[in-house]
Amino acid sequence: IYYYIFNQKQLRNEIKNELKAQILKIRQALNLYSISLDGHIHIHLIPFIMDELISLKNEFNIVNIRMVNEPFFLYLKSLKTYFGIGLIKYIILKMLSSFQEKKLKKNGIGFNDYFFGALFTGKMKYDLVNSFSKRYSNKPGICTVLFHPGRLKSDDIYEGKNPQYYRSNDRELEYRELID
């Protein structure tokens, strides 16, 4: 038990130090007074990482953290999207965000009112975004829309995991849709 507790404390400390270093670097580079945050692959939604971010609120004037509070949006032209990994990802991120929103409210940190794109990762198209926009444009609040534009070309060197995801034609299609 002692070993587990010690390692957990050490991990939290390392994460907090890394968060501080990244926030400080961006704040200095952009001369920011306040900070709005999100995390790559939504890592900030992991409970103990969110706790560390919240603990840095006053030190870095963190005013907003992105949540994935995406309403379930039925889009009939894209029914096959609902039966893939996107739905699983959507459910997990929606649950984590719901839990984290309570912490943010309690600590006086804002977050977006709507989010759109987790359910349709790699499938974002203009008509889909336009349809969502029409449905929610009369609702007050802030909406974050997520795209994954661009991709690795076949001759690009990539040494990370899952290179086929980063070479996906869907990423190229999202890029074209965003540009158009």
Side-chain angles (χ1 to χ4, degrees):
I1 293 175
Y2 174 78
Y3 178 78
Y4 174 75
I5 292 171
F6 177 75
N7 283 339
Q8 187 178 21
K9 275 182 156 181
Q10 184 180 357
L11 177 62
R12 280 179 174 264
N13 192 43
E14 288 177 23
I15 286 174
K16 187 172 191 171
N17 288 337
E18 182 62 28
L19 290 169
K20 286 171 109 174
Q22 289 184 28
I23 293 169
L24 188 59
K25 188 171 189 169
I26 294 298
R27 189 168 91 174
Q28 288 174 341
L30 300 176
N31 196 27
L32 299 174
Y33 170 73
S34 62
I35 302 285
S36 293
L37 298 172
D38 67 21
H40 185 244
I41 62 170
H42 315 284
I43 199 161
H44 62 289
L45 296 176
I46 297 171
F48 78 94
I49 293 176
M50 180 64 77
D51 292 344
E52 296 306 326
L53 282 172
I54 290 171
S55 77
L56 298 172
K57 173 194 173 205
N58 293 329
E59 183 176 348
F60 291 102
N61 197 20
I62 297 172
V63 296
N64 196 357
I65 298 177
R66 186 195 72 206
M67 293 290 101
V68 184
N69 43 12
E70 183 169 5
F72 189 81
F73 180 72
L74 189 58
Y75 186 68
L76 297 178
K77 292 181 184 176
S78 191
L79 280 179
K80 68 179 181 177
T81 300
Y82 296 104
F83 302 106
I85 193 72
L87 182 60
I88 296 166
K89 178 175 146 182
Y90 167 83
I91 292 167
I92 292 168
L93 294 174
K94 182 88 169 168
M95 287 181 350
L96 284 170
S97 286
S98 176
F99 176 69
Q100 301 301 4
E101 284 176 10
K102 294 172 188 170
K103 288 182 188 178
L104 294 178
K105 285 178 185 177
K106 180 180 174 185
N107 287 281
I109 298 174
F111 52 90
N112 50 299
D113 300 287
Y114 304 99
F115 181 93
F116 183 60
L119 187 58
F120 297 95
T121 297
K123 309 291 184 198
M124 294 289 280
K125 294 184 169 48
Y126 174 79
D127 58 334
L128 174 64
V129 175
N130 191 40
S131 179
F132 178 85
S133 179
K134 284 179 182 176
R135 185 175 290 183
Y136 289 92
S137 64
N138 62 343
K139 298 185 186 294
I142 297 169
C143 180
T144 301
V145 179
L146 176 68
F147 277 86
H148 291 91
R151 68 182 176 107
L152 293 171
K153 295 183 174 82
S154 59
D155 58 343
D156 287 338
I157 296 171
Y158 177 73
E159 297 180 12
K161 294 181 180 177
N162 199 7
Q164 63 275 17
Y165 171 74
Y166 296 100
R167 288 190 170 91
S168 164
N169 287 333
D170 290 336
R171 293 177 73 89
E172 181 68 23
L173 291 172
E174 277 197 17
Y175 170 77
R176 284 193 217 132
E177 290 287 327
L178 191 57
I179 296 302
D180 289 346

